[in-house]
């Protein structure tokens, strides 16, 4: 069987589906000519996925067992409930002769495609992970396809910091692209003190936003965000309460031409729509977004807003996110604070 | 309690949520000053919702009982599984003194906001419905809010035809808006022989598309669509098979600058993404769309495509859809054929 750049040749399902939609992937060690094998050092679970595991299982041991079970069964780390995965960091172990990715054996890389489509074998039973955080030390291997994306970790940044940035690097790139479509945009970022949120704030400013509004859920994050100095205004609101969210953004200089949703809790669609100006754009980056709630929510209040599914891929996204981090001490401080 | 144009005052849930997200609405007959009450003649269930009911229940009686149970429990018709509703047709019964909708008692209207947020009381136990079609004859009443949308049914079109068009009128308006953003766009419509699909094809051409490709699932629909003469090319593919869909569209003049997804089956995200050109746009109108499958699917194949949640509201959408139907015999024929 010939390989396909999408990884179709590793799908074990009966029907024809892409690896991301597959129930089970072929994890054989041997590479097709356009593939790359990575020696995995660490997994970084998607936040929505980890929260679901945390809610469902009693303790770290049970969470670890659940992750091992998913990977053993599916040949990839894809949470069956949230549909989401995460990413990994590792070292290039072997490069197929026809790989177009430009990687060399020994490169330390992160994958910029989701774990939900990456063949993965865990070989150490995750013994070094206590199950209590999204960052999972791991020994094992993973396979990249012809059309995968991986980025070499820059030398000037600590590994965990770089990994943490690359995990969300689609958000600032897409935010910048959308903000540039407006003149003097007002940009509201929901979940602004988080990883994708803080980078999106910095990207909005970089792309020419006239005013940025950071929305956070409580006083502690408001203080963090104010101290970082990366938003023109900081406001506190429960993003699941549409009226509270709308009123908070209006009081801070809204409505927003561009609203960026970066909180991984369900039920934020209505508020994001009400917060957005006529002909404005909502970008949904949260994996907890409900398609029907967004579609029907906008229609239900006769809101003429453009709603984007936050695509995690924009060309140059990793380098752009790294540059924002390097040039913005406030953003860097928030990231370093999270890594503890 | 004062009324809110979003209908918030009719939400009976404990938390603050908009009517669309609510578990239960207040269906009292008495109007707040900005509301309108409609005497309902007919419900038109969302296709994805009806399919789910059809799959779940043994016969028409059981489907009818399920709909009655949902409406009695929730005070609105919102399928708990699909999250979707539909729309209604009826006659204006009372207009609150502060209603901004411009309706008069006796107007025959369709609601252009979803049933998922419309307070509804069924008074005839749906005795005239056999449960075997999405079109539900119904006597009862419904309430519109200040920010709702309703359109008076035009005199020159049969009621069922107008209702059928208005049900999907967001699709052609948004398709036209997106197609105009490209020069000489190639437009692929998945599910092109259906209601939203055929109108989207006509809208794409009207908006200046250089080439329109209609994708249908089998020979019967291909013949229908070819006979209607509304697509430059007609091709057959299973939209759930991403490789088959990509190859079919490529062979018909693709990739598409704009791909419009109008089929109400799950699993079409990957194919729609692969079918779309670099920097192209996918518009998802199907309520069966999975947010995470779209987001991760695009990232997974490094696709730089814009993905839109199909907003059912665009200003002027109903009038535009009616005009397309009036001026396009092929589209009108497909609609009339469906009504039997």
């Amino acid at each position: 069987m010939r390989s396909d750049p999408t990884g179709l040749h590793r799908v074990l399902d009966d029907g024809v589906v892409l690896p991301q939609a597959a129930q089970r992937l072929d994890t054989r060690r041997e590479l097709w000519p356009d593939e790359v094998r990575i020696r995995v050092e660490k997994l970084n679970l998607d936040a929505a996925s980890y929260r679901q595991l945390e809610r469902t299982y009693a303790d770290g041991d049970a969470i670890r067992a659940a992750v091992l079970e998913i990977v053993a069964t599916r040949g990839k780390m894809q949470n069956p409930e949230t549909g989401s995965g995460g990413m990994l960091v590792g070292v290039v172990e072997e490069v197929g002769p026809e790989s177009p990715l430009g990687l060399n054996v020994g490169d330390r890389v992160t994958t910029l495609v989701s774990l939900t489509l990456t063949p993965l074998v865990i070989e150490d039973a995750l013994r070094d992970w206590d199950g209590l955080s999204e960052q999972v030390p791991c020994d094992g291997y993973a396979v990249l396809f012809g059309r995968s994306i991986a980025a070499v970790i820059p030398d000037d940044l600590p590994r965990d910091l770089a990994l943490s940035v690359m995990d969300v690097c689609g958000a600032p790139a897409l935010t910048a692209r959308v903000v540039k479509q407006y003149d003097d945009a007002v940009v509201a970022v929901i979940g602004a003190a988080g990883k994708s949120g803080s980078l999106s704030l910095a990207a909005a400013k970089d792309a020419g936003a006239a005013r940025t509004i950071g929305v956070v859920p409580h006083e502690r994050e408001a203080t963090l965000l104010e101290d970082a100095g990366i938003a023109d205004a900081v406001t506190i609101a429960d993003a699941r309460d549409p009226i509270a969210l709308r009123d908070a953004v209006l009081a801070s200089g809204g409505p927003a031409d561009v609203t960026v949703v970066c909180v991984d809790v369900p039920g934020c669609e209505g508020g994001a729509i009400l917060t957005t100006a006529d002909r404005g754009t909502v970008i949904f980056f949260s994996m907890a977004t409900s398609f029907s709630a967004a579609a029907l929510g906008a229609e239900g209040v006769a809101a003429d807003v453009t709603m984007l599914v936050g695509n995690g891929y924009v060309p140059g996204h990793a380098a752009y996110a790294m540059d924002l981090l390097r040039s913005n001490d406030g953003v860097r401080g928030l990231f370093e604070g999270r890594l503890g």
Side-chain angles (χ1 to χ4, degrees), chain A:
Chain A
M1 185 179 181
R2 288 181 54 82
S3 64
D4 186 279
T6 62
L8 202 68
H9 55 286
R10 287 208 183 238
V11 171
L12 295 176
D13 296 32
D14 290 333
V16 179
V17 294
L18 291 173
Q20 198 265 326
Q23 276 308 305
R24 188 165 163 72
L25 298 181
D26 180 347
T27 57
R28 72 180 72 175
R29 272 184 67 80
E30 296 70 37
L31 298 181
W32 268 264
D34 64 347
E35 293 184 332
V36 169
R37 193 174 57 252
I38 309 284
R39 175 58 36 188
V40 178
E41 297 179 340
K42 200 166 197 177
L43 308 175
N44 196 4
L45 302 184
D46 169 72
S49 170
Y50 183 74
R51 294 257 181 109
Q52 190 274 332
L53 293 168
E54 211 175 19
R55 276 195 308 272
T56 308
Y57 296 99
D59 56 29
D61 289 342
I63 293 175
R64 183 174 53 233
V67 170
L68 286 168
E69 169 69 21
I70 290 169
V71 175
T73 306
R74 307 196 64 173
K76 59 178 179 174
M77 179 53 208
Q78 181 173 29
N79 183 320
E81 293 303 316
T82 63
S84 59
M87 49 169 340
L88 63 85
V89 65
V91 175
V92 175
E93 193 169 75
E94 185 182 341
V95 178
E98 297 171 18
S99 168
L101 300 184
L103 298 174
N104 298 302
V105 172
D107 283 348
R108 174 156 284 127
V109 297
T110 66
T111 54
L112 297 179
V113 289
S114 170
L115 288 179
T116 59
L117 56 92
T118 304
L120 174 68
V121 172
I122 294 172
E123 296 176 327
D124 69 345
L126 302 180
R127 79 173 71 85
D128 295 333
W129 182 43
D130 58 11
L132 300 178
S133 118
E134 306 160 14
Q135 307 259 346
V136 184
C138 169
D139 187 34
Y141 68 87
V143 174
L144 301 182
F145 310 128
R147 206 169 156 171
S148 295
I149 323 164
V152 176
I153 298 178
D155 291 336
D156 64 328
L157 294 172
R159 186 194 67 174
D160 286 354
L161 181 60
L163 180 60
S164 189
V165 172
M166 286 183 178
D167 182 35
V168 295
C169 67
L174 184 54
T175 297
R177 183 187 279 182
V178 172
V179 168
K180 283 180 188 159
Q181 294 167 5
Y182 292 86
D183 293 329
D184 304 322
V186 174
V187 180
V189 177
I190 322 292
K195 295 198 301 181
S196 57
S198 58
L199 279 168
S200 295
L201 273 176
K205 210 62 183 172
D206 179 61
R211 183 172 181 80
T212 57
I213 304 165
V215 182
V216 292
H218 46 61
E219 195 60 45
R220 194 174 52 76
E221 289 204 4
T223 306
L224 267 178
L225 189 58
E226 274 160 6
D227 290 349
I230 58 174
D232 296 325
V234 175
T235 184
I236 297 174
D238 180 345
R240 294 164 301 183
D241 178 338
I243 304 301
L245 183 61
R246 177 193 67 185
D247 292 349
V249 172
L250 283 179
S252 302
D257 298 302
V258 180
T259 300
V260 187
V261 181
C262 295
V263 280
D264 61 352
V265 293
C268 302
E269 300 86 1
I273 290 161
L274 284 185
T275 292
T276 306
D278 197 46
R279 297 304 295 262
T281 298
V282 184
I283 316 177
F284 291 105
F285 284 115
S286 165
M287 283 299 157
T289 303
S290 157
F291 182 88
S292 60
L296 296 174
E299 181 190 282
V301 294
D304 185 12
V305 296
T306 298
M307 294 183 288
L308 297 183
V309 177
N311 182 351
Y313 176 71
V314 175
H317 57 344
Y320 181 60
M322 292 296 165
D323 284 348
L324 287 173
L325 186 91
R326 288 193 189 94
S327 61
N328 194 314
D329 291 342
V331 173
R332 183 163 182 159
L334 285 173
F335 270 78
E336 289 174 341
R338 283 185 157 247
L339 292 171

